[in-house]
Amino acid sequence: LSVMTRQLVPTAEISWDGSAARVVTDQLTLTAEVGQLYVEANGRYLYVPESVQGGGGEVSVPLRTVAKAFGASVGYDSATGVVTITRGSGTIQNGGSFYNEDDLFWLSRVIYRESGNQSLEGQMAVGNVVLNRTADPAFPDTIEGVLAQKNQFTTYASGVLAATNPSQTSIIAAKLVLDGGEVEETKGALFFDSKVNSWAARNRPYIATIGTHKFYG
């Protein structure tokens, strides 16, 4: 983390408290905590599938994740094996302006109601299903539209969902998903459930299980 940061912004302030690295520039504040599945950059949550790694006072974060935080881009020449990094704006767009309030409201709540007792990636996978539906022509193209669809998420119609107070973990899961984070094991899933003989189990291709939920395409 420190090597690439110095290359992009030589004047960046980098600190380490024994468990997390913090990078501060005049445009960006980034925190990477060892063991977490994300880094936080200007209020944005960027998914790190293998978790932030650390050892010997060093913190390791995927190159593309760091580049995204700094508004930079990464290129790769397969013929030469050379990786290039191109400076950009120097910062990621602030989370307060990036995340759509309505989308975050509904997604964090359905994640909490459906999977609040699951791992962070289990919660993300549920959020991925909702976003996958918005991109599929067989479903509505908005998050609220997906939740309001008949016979799908009954907590929406009952008003329970709107009255739900999501946990901080569910909010983070929603932000990770809205920022492009996708759990590889359940990639492309359009349905999930925890029942043995559900409609999806009988009619849709099984993809994977995370925690107590099975996911289907």
Side-chain angles (χ1 to χ4, degrees):
L1 177 61
S2 60
V3 173
M4 183 174 176
T5 296
R6 293 298 187 200
Q7 291 177 338
L8 291 171
V9 184
T11 58
E13 297 180 4
I14 304 173
S15 59
W16 165 253
D17 66 5
S19 63
R22 183 178 175 86
V23 175
V24 179
T25 73
D26 60 350
Q27 296 178 292
L28 175 71
T29 298
L30 179 150
T31 302
E33 183 176 346
V34 175
Q36 290 283 21
L37 291 168
Y38 57 83
V39 299
E40 183 180 356
N42 281 2
R44 298 273 292 278
Y45 285 77
L46 311 181
Y47 183 41
V48 181
E50 301 301 323
S51 79
V52 176
Q53 303 295 310
E58 295 291 330
V59 175
S60 177
V61 177
L63 180 61
R64 291 187 183 278
T65 303
V66 179
K68 181 176 179 178
F70 279 94
S73 59
V74 178
Y76 175 70
D77 188 327
S78 59
T80 62
V82 174
V83 176
T84 58
I85 303 171
T86 304
R87 287 187 175 90
S89 63
T91 183
I92 196 171
Q93 182 183 352
N94 188 280
S97 58
F98 175 79
Y99 297 117
N100 178 281
E101 289 186 10
D102 286 340
D103 287 346
L104 182 58
F105 178 93
W106 290 114
L107 191 60
S108 63
R109 281 159 175 76
V110 73
I111 287 174
Y112 181 71
R113 292 295 305 185
E114 299 288 344
S115 58
N117 62 345
Q118 303 296 299
S119 67
L120 178 61
E121 287 188 313
Q123 294 186 48
M124 286 178 64
V126 166
N128 286 150
V129 167
V130 176
L131 283 198
N132 288 345
R133 289 189 179 191
T134 66
D136 190 298
F139 298 91
D141 61 2
T142 66
I143 289 174
E144 186 175 4
V146 166
L147 301 182
Q149 196 172 25
K150 186 177 180 181
N151 298 325
Q152 295 300 308
F153 296 90
T154 57
T155 53
Y156 178 89
S158 68
V160 169
L161 202 57
T164 294
N165 290 317
S167 67
Q168 184 62 27
T169 300
S170 295
I171 294 172
I172 290 173
K175 288 182 176 181
L176 286 165
V177 170
L178 290 170
D179 229 312
E182 185 173 26
V183 179
E184 184 65 27
E185 294 91 327
T186 57
K187 189 172 183 178
L190 292 171
F191 297 86
F192 68 91
D193 61 42
S194 57
K195 299 176 182 178
V196 175
N197 193 35
S198 67
W199 178 89
R202 290 181 281 107
N203 294 277
R204 306 294 298 194
Y206 169 78
I207 295 178
T209 298
I210 297 182
T212 60
H213 285 126
K214 291 183 173 61
F215 292 83
Y216 306 88

